[in-house]
Amino acid sequence: MENKRKKTYVEDLDRGIYDRKDEVKYRSKIKGLNEEVIRMISEEKNEPEWMLDIRLKALKIFNETPNPVWGPDLSEVDIDDIITYIRPDADLSDTWESVPDYIRDTFDALGIQEAEKELFLSGVGAQYDSEVVYHNLQQSLIDQGVIYTDFETGLKEYEDIVKKHYAKAISPSLHKYAALHYALSSGGSFIYVPKGVRVDIPLQSYYRLNAPGAGQFEHTLIVVEDDAYCHFIEGCSAPRWNQTNVHAGGVELYVGKNSTLRFSSIENWSRNMYNLNTKRAIVEENGSIQWVGGSFGSKVSMLYPTSVLIGEGAKAEMVTISFGSRGQVIDNGASTIHAASNTSSNIITKSISKGGGEANFRGMVKVLEEAKNCKSTVSCESLMLDNESRSDTIPYIEVKNKSCDLGHEAKIGRIDDQVIYYLMTRGFSEEEAKSIVVRGFAEPIAKELPMEYAVEMNNLINLELEGTIG
């Protein structure tokens, strides 16, 4: 009998290149989650004992922790039915010519190679299923001491730096799916920017999950030392399957004194994906973390990037957009912890929902007792394209110091019929008019992205809108 929990209905939406499916070729494949699985993965990677210890402790936490009851329904996520590790039939390479044709062609169609050739990117990493297959960095940055490599290589060659930071920003005990991440972590990127170095041309890692019924659990670790700058872009996609896929990545960011890290992310998972990602930044004195993001696809998304401001004068900024359509629950947001005086945060989120989909904002701002003269503003705007859709704003604010200045604003509304009528009198069809309004709503987010990624975001919005509103 076919396992009903593993099958999931996926609305038929033509996503073009993002639904490209390659034949699943692999060297090793592991299903489910138990101690034997954890030891097999660790042995496959030839990891140090301390990494295995973290995995086993995380497994215990995962097994003992229930699903959250405050968000979307996660009862369909059965890890015993998920392929939790799949090593592709490819070796890590620093030349595209050495990557198997079918994998190289997929990343080429996604535009990764072109962006690298045109020097829009100073370094590129490409992960396929559970392992990174390509990584490269411009020589000029290597000469300045910048490290950008896959996580496994980072662990082997820079173990002291990795051990100092790994699982410190995000604890396996943070929540059930943070524990799942550390138990099954595979692939990802390691970035180290030395003191005083600027990485102005972005680095990008792209995560592609091709196999049906599989999970992806990559770990991104970025350390930006004092007086430095780095812009990192994360791209994600997967083809559509009628089986449940799971993504539970982890992103740990460390921003030194007087430094800035810009973390841009376009997540474009298919509608059979449970996106249960965890991202957290630790920011020191006068440092700045800038989050820019777009969240598309996914049957369910629970993503709440967190900024922990531990140094005086530290700043956090977030600008994101999400799109929830029929059969989707996009429950995203942000949180900021002000743990030092004179820190500031600014969160701007936009969400769009249509066809009965949900696009919610869930946020938290916490000011600790010792944090004086802090400032925080949160602005949430939600646009519903019909009477079926839903959008909720769920803020949580905890202030333990009266000297702080905090504000929260939420706007939720339907698309304005008068605006649509006006555009139609100027010769646009109703569908074109609605598309113009939606793109205008999203423009503040697009302006924060590099041009080629703003184009990708607008294309994703067009895919969601095409032939489905009205």
Side-chain angles (χ1 to χ4, degrees):
M1 181 184 299
E2 194 160 37
N3 190 324
K4 294 182 180 179
R5 291 177 64 91
K6 190 178 175 184
K7 293 290 184 180
T8 182
Y9 170 73
V10 180
E11 184 182 0
D12 188 17
L13 175 69
D14 182 5
R15 298 168 65 243
I17 178 55
Y18 303 109
D19 273 333
R20 174 188 179 124
K21 296 178 181 178
D22 301 325
E23 181 182 351
V24 181
K25 301 177 183 179
Y26 58 88
R27 292 180 183 172
S28 57
K29 181 172 71 171
I30 301 173
K31 188 176 183 179
L33 177 60
N34 53 45
E35 184 173 333
E36 181 182 3
V37 165
I38 296 302
R39 292 186 179 277
M40 288 171 63
I41 294 174
S42 187
E43 184 176 351
E44 174 102 6
K45 295 174 174 294
N46 193 27
E47 291 178 338
E49 192 69 24
W50 64 268
M51 280 287 289
L52 176 59
D53 288 344
I54 290 176
R55 289 186 184 276
L56 294 174
K57 290 175 183 176
L59 173 64
K60 185 174 186 294
I61 294 170
F62 176 79
N63 288 333
E64 293 176 351
T65 306
N67 273 328
V69 296
W70 44 263
D73 179 17
L74 300 179
S75 60
E76 190 176 321
V77 179
D78 184 353
I79 297 302
D80 290 334
D81 272 340
I82 296 294
I83 300 169
T84 48
Y85 178 80
I86 180 166
R87 181 179 285 274
D89 188 17
D91 295 316
L92 174 65
S93 175
D94 60 0
T95 63
W96 283 110
E97 290 74 22
S98 300
V99 177
D101 291 349
Y102 71 100
I103 296 178
R104 182 178 67 245
D105 290 348
T106 292
F107 284 112
D108 191 27
L110 290 166
I112 307 304
Q113 294 177 61
E114 185 65 25
E116 186 178 20
K117 289 175 186 175
E118 295 296 328
L119 301 180
F120 295 140
L121 303 170
S122 59
V124 172
Q127 178 163 334
Y128 194 85
D129 289 332
S130 296
E131 296 294 350
V132 177
V133 297
Y134 174 83
H135 235 290
N136 198 19
L137 178 64
Q138 288 183 6
Q139 186 62 46
S140 60
L141 291 177
I142 296 174
D143 294 342
Q144 295 178 75
V146 175
I147 301 167
Y148 177 42
T149 187
D150 65 292
F151 185 82
E152 280 190 31
T153 300
L155 176 60
K156 291 173 183 175
E157 298 184 1
Y158 309 99
E159 184 177 347
D160 54 338
I161 302 176
V162 173
K163 187 175 182 179
K164 178 181 177 181
H165 296 92
Y166 187 73
K168 303 297 193 304
I170 301 171
S171 167
S173 62
L174 183 64
H175 57 76
K176 184 177 181 70
Y177 292 93
L180 179 67
H181 166 75
Y182 281 110
L184 294 169
S185 180
S186 182
S189 292
F190 171 64
I191 299 171
Y192 177 83
V193 182
K195 182 177 180 179
V197 174
R198 291 187 62 88
V199 183
D200 291 303
I201 301 175
L203 307 171
Q204 174 176 337
S205 289
Y206 199 98
Y207 304 108
R208 177 73 174 177
L209 180 57
N210 178 68
Q216 195 170 58
F217 309 97
E218 82 286 345
H219 192 87
T220 301
L221 176 59
I222 303 178
V223 179
V224 181
E225 295 288 11
D226 298 349
D227 304 303
Y229 175 88
C230 182
H231 184 184
F232 177 81
I233 299 172
E234 173 190 72
C236 317
S237 68
R240 178 182 67 238
W241 301 98
N242 284 319
Q243 291 177 270
T244 296
N245 279 33
V246 175
H247 176 244
V251 174
E252 294 189 291
L253 310 177
Y254 295 88
V255 184
K257 295 178 181 179
N258 307 306
S259 292
T260 297
L261 173 58
R262 189 174 182 86
F263 190 98
S264 301
S265 178
I266 298 291
E267 300 203 31
N268 178 28
W269 301 111
S270 53
R271 295 191 185 183
N272 57 300
M273 178 70 77
Y274 281 78
N275 182 31
L276 310 173
N277 214 356
T278 306
K279 301 179 180 182
R280 182 167 283 216
I282 307 295
V283 189
E284 297 187 22
E285 182 181 342
N286 294 320
S288 176
I289 177 68
Q290 301 171 354
W291 304 92
V292 181
S295 182
F296 300 87
S298 303
K299 181 174 183 178
V300 168
S301 179
M302 298 179 72
L303 175 59
Y304 320 100
T306 298
S307 306
V308 185
L309 308 178
I310 64 170
E312 184 168 357
K315 299 178 182 179
E317 298 179 12
M318 169 172 274
V319 182
T320 64
I321 189 166
S322 58
F323 201 124
S325 189
R326 180 175 290 109
Q328 294 178 272
V329 181
I330 309 300
D331 196 274
N332 290 350
S335 64
T336 306
I337 300 172
H338 293 258
S341 297
N342 301 306
T343 51
S344 62
S345 60
N346 185 25
I347 298 171
I348 299 173
T349 69
K350 290 175 176 282
S351 62
I352 305 166
S353 56
K354 71 175 182 64
E358 290 187 37
N360 302 322
F361 169 83
R362 194 182 301 270
M364 180 192 76
V365 176
K366 181 181 289 189
V367 181
L368 304 187
E369 186 174 356
E370 62 271 24
K372 300 177 182 178
N373 302 314
C374 297
K375 294 183 179 181
S376 178
T377 58
V378 180
S379 175
C380 313
E381 290 187 74
S382 300
L383 181 64
M384 294 180 287
L385 303 185
D386 49 52
N387 294 327
E388 304 172 75
S389 304
R390 175 171 176 172
S391 185
D392 290 319
T393 299
I394 309 169
Y396 175 83
I397 299 174
E398 181 179 336
V399 182
K400 296 184 177 181
N401 191 301
K402 294 182 179 179
S403 65
C404 297
D405 182 2
L406 280 81
H408 180 274
E409 178 184 15
K411 296 179 182 178
I412 299 177
R414 295 187 179 89
I415 199 163
D416 193 324
D417 291 338
Q418 289 185 334
V419 172
I420 301 303
Y421 175 75
Y422 173 81
L423 290 171
M424 290 174 67
T425 64
R426 294 300 184 266
F428 294 101
S429 69
E430 183 177 1
E431 186 171 306
E432 289 171 336
K434 290 182 177 180
S435 295
I436 290 170
V437 171
V438 171
R439 286 195 293 270
F441 180 75
E443 183 184 11
I445 312 300
K447 288 197 308 187
E448 296 294 328
L449 290 165
M451 183 185 300
E452 60 274 18
Y453 299 99
V455 170
E456 179 183 357
M457 190 194 81
N458 285 327
N459 287 340
L460 292 174
I461 290 174
N462 290 338
L463 279 174
E464 294 286 351
L465 293 174
E466 195 172 82
T468 55
I469 50 178

